[in-house]
Amino acid sequence: MALAQLFNEGKYGLTVRSVNELIENLTSINWYSKAGEFSVDVEGKLAQFMSSLGVHDYEIKWISIEQVSETIKTLSFEGSALWEVLKELPGLWKKKIDSLENQRLLNEIVDRVPEAVFHSAYKQAFMTFKDENTVKFLVGHAMYISILACTAELAGDHQSLSYLIELLEEGHLPLGPNGNTIYLL
């Protein structure tokens, strides 16, 4: 789904160009296309993502497509070093966005990006996983990550989520944590 210029540069200025490029990438992702396929390269990118956030206490556990539904039920942020870092980022990005006087654009991102990502994420999740609760979780996950990535981009933090976006573009997904175990799909 091509959405070039989702946000008008005439209205928001050149600041929005990188956000539009990111949205174009997010809406072009072939979600979950390599779900369950082990990749050393993908593990490396997840390690780079974790390192970029300063998180070093974790374990990666690969899961198969068949394990996703049950694994989702076990996800927990409790005791997660990753979550301790991630939960602070939106507030930091919001302060930066406020200082740049881009609150109106942030509001539009929150309103419009989930819908832009929904259709392709839903289609792929349904084709790959079938289970209704799994599909709902994964689509919500995709929309949440997309909003976070666009928020980071708007705040000028081009690096925090770049490795995560690369994982998604390659058809993989860090499903989430259970403590310091990160499930990778």
Side-chain angles (χ1 to χ4, degrees), residues 46-77:
L46 181 59
Q48 288 175 304
F49 168 65
M50 299 295 277
S51 181
S52 75
L53 295 176
V55 177
H56 305 287
D57 182 21
Y58 66 93
E59 171 190 0
I60 297 172
K61 182 172 181 182
W62 281 89
I63 59 171
S64 68
I65 289 174
E66 296 77 25
Q67 294 171 302
V68 172
S69 180
E70 288 304 312
T71 302
I72 288 170
K73 296 174 189 173
T74 69
L75 297 178
S76 171
F77 294 121

Side-chain angles (χ1 to χ4, degrees), residues 7 11-12 15 93-111 151 154-155:
F7 299 107
K11 182 176 180 180
Y12 292 109
T15 303
W93 293 330
K94 174 79 167 82
K95 285 180 185 176
K96 176 72 178 202
I97 290 166
D98 289 348
S99 75
L100 297 171
E101 299 183 0
N102 280 328
Q103 303 91 340
R104 189 174 70 177
L105 180 53
L106 176 61
N107 290 338
E108 284 207 47
I109 285 170
V110 171
D111 285 344
T151 302
L154 184 58

Side-chain angles (χ1 to χ4, degrees), residues 100-165:
L100 297 171
E101 299 183 0
N102 280 328
Q103 303 91 340
R104 189 174 70 177
L105 180 53
L106 176 61
N107 290 338
E108 284 207 47
I109 285 170
V110 171
D111 285 344
R112 296 173 67 189
V113 167
E115 181 181 353
V117 170
F118 171 84
H119 298 289
S120 61
Y122 178 85
K123 178 181 176 185
Q124 288 300 121
F126 184 77
M127 287 177 13
T128 306
F129 301 97
K130 311 265 188 286
D131 176 69
E132 182 179 347
N133 290 328
T134 301
V135 170
K136 285 180 186 178
F137 176 88
L138 292 174
V139 172
H141 191 281
M143 293 187 304
Y144 180 73
I145 288 174
S146 297
I147 289 172
L148 278 182
C150 289
T151 302
E153 189 66 32
L154 184 58
D157 184 350
H158 310 292
Q159 294 304 310
S160 287
L161 301 181
S162 63
Y163 296 113
L164 178 60
I165 300 305

